[in-house]
Amino acid sequence: KSGSDISKVKIRPIMLKNALVFQVTEYKGTQVFHENYEKSILIDRIEEYMAEKFRQMELTASTMQAILLVSKKGKVTIKKKAFQTEKKVDLSHNKVKKYILQEGTVVPFLVDLGVQTKEGKIVRSNYDKFRQINRYLEFIADVMPQLPKDRCINIIDFGCGKSYLTFAMYYYMKILCKRDIRVIGLDLKEKVIEDCNVLAARYGYDNLKFVTGDVSTYTGEGSVDMVVTLHACDTATDYAIEKAIKWGAKVIFTVPCCQHEVNMQISNEKLQPLLKYGLIKERMSALITDAIRANLLEEQGYQVQVMEFIDMEHTPKNILIRAVKEKEGKGKCTGIDELTKSLHVRNTLQELITAGKGILE
């Protein structure tokens, strides 16, 4: 999309001069535009958005959440989920963002990370990281009801790196939500793993351990409920997903990184006007890779969402694939094999699933 295209729209009700109106926020490149509409006009605007630009809309009300999907052929699908307790709707004009981790509450790993002061204030220069951590925890909060409630939840974080998001996940699920969890962080860097274990011991996080190892050869767990892989490089993401599928993991979070495999293979005469530009070829290859992964996860019975992790201006690696196991695999996704053949590419996850005879078989 060009910088003038609308990439996202958010709508919320507000009280303005004792009248109910709807504030529409449009995101265009790095710019944000606001406009207030009355109900009747808003309905027309939503119809325009869905007819011209978007195929997905998420609606959150006081008693339920709904997702509307429109297929390329115009078929409309609506998925609804009722809330157990009614949620209060904030109609204030100047809405203050309510984060899961609140300013003023001292969180040890945030202090060591330099995001918080020892008094609990957010360091303004690191506010983007504070937002990123909270956004990640919001994604986790959404899937918490899908995880076991009657036993310990086994979680593995592949390619955990310095692990600030791993610590955030543990703090949220164990300390704030009081869930029984066990988390293993895996990374190739021995010094990083050593440092992370020192911090976990210092914070008293007894069920958070870090080990040195390679994603592709790791065999340390018999079963896992949730697999996380944030910025695991290139095909390491594919190995992590394949292991998650074999374990029957209920939840998979992956933010892919450094995707070279498809970029090295892709070839298509009709697409040559696009592929001759290195940057465009690189970005197309990354998007194609993630689309293949998402479809393969659907084949294995996962409900998959491809979401924006954090805003583009903070990092180009901003696609999150969130998969929740819901049913038995539905078989081959129409068009994926044809797509990869036409582009002369073969993704590692495809090869792993094929080698495993489809895994589900």
Side-chain angles (χ1 to χ4, degrees):
K1 292 183 177 181
S2 68
S4 62
D5 286 338
I6 300 173
S7 60
K8 179 172 60 176
V9 176
K10 290 185 178 180
I11 303 172
R12 69 183 185 91
I14 61 172
M15 293 299 296
L16 191 61
K17 297 180 180 179
N18 297 320
L20 177 65
V21 297
F22 295 85
Q23 184 182 81
V24 175
T25 304
E26 294 182 349
Y27 295 81
K28 297 182 180 181
T30 59
Q31 295 181 305
V32 179
F33 299 89
H34 300 282
E35 191 70 52
N36 298 327
Y37 295 106
E38 295 179 354
K39 179 180 176 181
S40 59
I41 300 176
L42 174 72
I43 293 173
D44 292 338
R45 291 292 292 134
I46 291 175
E47 290 179 349
E48 290 173 8
Y49 287 134
M50 297 306 294
E52 299 173 4
K53 298 180 180 296
F54 299 99
R55 296 187 182 275
Q56 178 174 327
M57 177 171 66
E58 182 177 313
L59 171 68
T60 301
S62 59
T63 58
M64 62 170 289
Q65 183 181 59
I67 296 177
L68 183 147
L69 303 170
V70 181
S71 71
K72 291 181 179 180
K73 295 183 178 180
K75 180 182 177 181
V76 177
T77 303
I78 300 176
K79 300 179 181 180
K80 300 178 181 179
K81 181 178 72 173
F83 298 136
Q84 292 182 346
T85 57
E86 185 172 345
K87 293 189 176 183
K88 185 178 179 180
V89 179
D90 186 355
L91 299 177
S92 59
H93 183 205
N94 297 317
K95 186 177 179 181
V96 178
K97 174 70 175 179
K98 292 183 178 180
Y99 290 113
I100 290 177
L101 302 182
Q102 292 287 320
E103 183 167 6
T105 301
V106 178
V107 182
F109 78 87
L110 289 181
V111 176
D112 286 342
L113 188 61
V115 172
Q116 267 188 342
T117 66
K118 292 181 179 179
E119 295 72 36
K121 293 183 178 180
I122 303 303
V123 178
R124 294 300 126 183
S125 60
N126 283 327
Y127 198 82
D128 286 345
K129 192 172 288 294
F130 177 70
R131 285 180 57 235
Q132 182 201 41
I133 292 171
N134 274 284
R135 183 61 176 144
Y136 177 57
L137 295 182
E138 288 172 4
F139 287 133
I140 292 176
D142 288 344
V143 300
M144 286 279 280
Q146 310 297 327
L147 294 168
K149 301 177 180 64
D150 57 349
R151 61 172 176 80
C152 181
I153 302 169
N154 287 319
I155 302 171
I156 186 161
D157 189 342
F158 283 125
C160 59
K162 294 183 179 179
S163 304
Y164 66 89
L165 291 177
T166 316
F167 282 108
M169 175 174 63
Y170 187 92
Y171 178 83
Y172 171 65
M173 296 180 72
K174 179 71 174 180
I175 308 302
L176 295 187
C177 297
K178 310 297 183 184
R179 298 294 290 271
D180 184 12
I181 65 172
R182 172 177 172 266
V183 181
I184 298 291
L186 182 83
D187 200 273
L188 289 169
K189 303 179 183 67
E190 293 185 5
K191 182 63 168 62
V192 168
I193 291 300
E194 180 183 336
D195 292 342
C196 288
N197 277 320
V198 169
L199 290 176
R202 182 194 304 170
Y203 304 149
Y205 293 173
D206 296 333
N207 280 350
L208 174 59
K209 305 295 181 185
F210 296 90
V211 297
T212 305
D214 189 301
V215 174
S216 64
T217 57
Y218 182 75
T219 58
E221 301 297 317
S223 65
V224 177
D225 300 298
M226 179 172 167
V227 170
V228 177
T229 168
L230 306 179
H231 299 161
C233 193
D234 202 16
T235 58
T237 295
D238 298 300
Y239 284 103
I241 293 174
E242 187 255 356
K243 289 182 184 299
I245 294 171
K246 280 189 172 179
W247 282 322
K250 184 66 176 177
V251 175
I252 302 172
F253 281 99
T254 178
V255 178
C257 176
C258 305
Q259 304 179 62
H260 304 304
E261 186 177 41
V262 167
N263 190 33
M264 297 290 289
Q265 303 175 54
I266 189 169
S267 174
N268 182 286
E269 185 177 345
K270 292 183 179 179
L271 292 178
Q272 190 53 34
L274 302 177
L275 299 178
K276 69 180 182 179
Y277 301 108
L279 180 61
I280 293 175
K281 179 184 176 185
E282 178 185 347
R283 292 185 179 179
M284 279 183 60
S285 298
L287 292 172
I288 289 167
T289 301
D290 290 335
I292 293 170
R293 289 164 172 162
N295 277 274
L296 291 173
L297 279 164
E298 287 184 0
E299 289 180 4
Q300 301 298 318
Y302 286 86
Q303 182 185 43
V304 180
Q305 292 174 290
V306 179
M307 313 166 78
E308 186 178 54
F309 183 31
I310 51 177
D311 294 337
M312 180 66 81
E313 58 263 36
H314 301 135
T315 173
K317 302 162 187 174
N318 71 327
I319 286 182
L320 167 71
I321 300 174
R322 183 172 70 184
V324 179
K325 185 79 170 180
E326 286 201 330
K327 55 192 175 183
E328 294 301 317
K330 62 181 183 181
K332 290 289 184 181
C333 288
T334 303
I336 285 298
D337 284 342
E338 290 80 0
L339 172 67
T340 55
K341 287 177 182 177
S342 69
L343 297 176
H344 303 285
V345 301
R346 190 69 178 171
N347 168 259
T348 291
L349 184 57
Q350 284 178 292
E351 298 287 3
L352 291 170
I353 289 177
T354 300
K357 296 183 180 179
I359 295 181
L360 288 174
E361 297 179 8

